[in-house]
């Protein structure tokens, strides 16, 4: 990811974190956002400008049942 962002410096990236939607809704929103934030912070640590990275969270994986992974 870092290499692509360095190769195309005009591009921005939206990072979306997901959770499976089981349990408390607020906790899942926070978890989804935290997952995206960890990726953003790792890219910033690798030299990608923070202004190019946007984070969001989806508290319930769309189109998937809780606890199931995409294959």
């Amino acid at each position: 990811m870092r290499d692509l962002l360095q190769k195309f410096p005009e591009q921005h990236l939206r990072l979306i974190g997901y959770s499976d939607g089981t349990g408390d809704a607020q906790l899942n929103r926070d978890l989804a956002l935290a997952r995206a934030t960890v990726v953003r912070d790792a890219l910033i640590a690798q030299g990608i400008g923070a202004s190019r990275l946007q984070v969001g969270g989806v508290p319930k994986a769309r189109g998937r049942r809780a606890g199931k992974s995409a294959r």
Side-chain angles (χ1 to χ4, degrees), residues 6-28:
Q6 287 177 338
K7 184 175 180 178
F8 300 101
E10 70 284 354
Q11 295 298 312
H12 290 74
L13 187 65
R14 180 176 296 156
L15 303 160
I16 305 295
Y18 288 88
S19 68
D20 65 10
T22 59
D24 181 71
Q26 183 62 47
L27 179 63
N28 282 317

Side-chain angles (χ1 to χ4, degrees), residues 49-63:
S51 65
R52 297 176 61 197
L53 305 170
Q54 179 183 16
V55 296
V58 178
K60 186 175 180 181
R62 297 179 199 148

Side-chain angles (χ1 to χ4, degrees), residues 38-52:
V38 166
V39 174
R40 181 201 62 196
D41 292 348
L43 288 169
I44 291 170
Q46 294 178 31
I48 302 302
S51 65
R52 297 176 61 197

